[in-house]
Amino acid sequence: MAYQYFSHNGTIKPIEQAVVPLNSIEYSYGFGVYETIRVSRGTIYFLDQHIRRLMDSAKIITLPHNFSIEFVQTAARELIEKTKAETCNLKILLIGGSSPETADLYLLCLNPLFPERQLYKNGAAGITHRYEREFPHAKTLNMLPSYLAYRQARTAGAYDALLVNRQDCITEGTRTNFFAIKDRLIVSPPEADILPGVMREVVLGVARQNDFKITEQAIKLDDIAGYDGAFLTSTSSKIIPLKSIDEHSWGTIPVPLQELMSALNQCLDNLADKTPQI
């Protein structure tokens, strides 16, 4: 679907005017932060959490701006109402300037790229890539190393590349959070080393409600065979089970993980039923 409008600093404009000046040093150098938000059946999922993380990311990279959480919330709701978008990804870009007054806030609707259904049933392949992001807690526009790692994964037929740090531990995917699972124990890499995804927090909340135990600890690449399985989370994909990482593969998706996937789907369905439609 082609969307006809976008929002610039709170003003809705025709999509033809969605341009970034070529002389924008800040944009060229990646001095910006962003969020991608799931919209389904007119429901904007976890809008407040995404905007708060946008603001946190801006603080981490010292990006000055004058936009409030309430301002961005209003801009998001007005754009979804104007475009009448039922199912899309709402992307928010906050690009820095020479002063708070010259920062730019862009919101636009994008067609979501949903994973193939068979990945939920059979699992996805993952490969590893050695890289550590400089600002783990900031979702910045400086994405070249992650982009190259993701392209390497896609070329290899994998769903995502899992980043490995100097301690040979898996931290996260290029666009996903990573978990390992053993029985009903979910293991997450330490939050200090990763971007805490909004869907990650939702999944952990659902897991706690369904009698899973959760721990944070370093996950050594060499120890991955000792787990029953692993999975990824993201806004668009929810939970994607992994069938393999590099040369190691798991036979089937663990039953507890299947239960968690079903519980998450039910949670999201309940939120859609309770949330007023745009």
Side-chain angles (χ1 to χ4, degrees), residues 182-196:
K182 178 73 172 179
D183 297 323
R184 297 187 75 82
L185 174 66
I186 295 174
V187 182
S188 167
E191 192 169 298
D193 299 336
I194 64 173
L195 177 71

Side-chain angles (χ1 to χ4, degrees), residues 51-182:
I51 296 175
R52 291 183 188 280
R53 188 173 66 175
L54 182 84
M55 299 298 180
D56 289 342
S57 293
K59 288 180 182 178
I60 291 170
I61 67 169
T62 64
L63 189 161
H65 64 90
N66 291 329
F67 303 108
S68 67
I69 291 175
E70 294 75 19
F71 184 91
V72 183
Q73 289 171 334
T74 299
R77 294 188 176 107
E78 288 179 347
L79 180 62
I80 295 300
E81 183 175 6
K82 179 68 173 179
T83 59
K84 296 179 169 52
E86 285 293 315
T87 298
C88 71
N89 280 343
L90 176 64
K91 188 157 192 176
I92 305 176
L93 292 167
L94 176 55
I95 301 172
S98 57
S99 66
E101 293 75 22
T102 56
D104 283 302
L105 179 72
Y106 296 93
L107 293 88
L108 62 155
C109 296
L110 301 172
N111 290 318
L113 297 174
F114 294 121
E116 298 177 10
R117 290 181 178 272
Q118 65 180 11
L119 295 179
Y120 294 100
K121 180 179 180 181
N122 302 326
I127 65 168
T128 56
H129 182 87
R130 294 189 177 275
Y131 171 60
E132 296 179 50
R133 293 189 302 110
E134 186 170 359
F135 301 103
H137 281 192
K139 196 163 185 175
T140 74
L141 299 185
N142 185 13
M143 292 288 289
L144 179 59
S146 292
Y147 170 80
L148 294 176
Y150 179 74
R151 188 175 68 171
Q152 178 187 359
R154 300 305 288 173
T155 300
Y159 181 76
D160 199 2
L162 307 178
L163 306 183
V164 177
N165 64 19
R166 283 165 285 187
Q167 288 74 43
D168 289 326
C169 297
I170 301 174
T171 56
E172 58 193 343
T174 66
R175 54 190 64 193
T176 55
N177 281 122
F178 172 77
F179 300 88
I181 186 169
K182 178 73 172 179

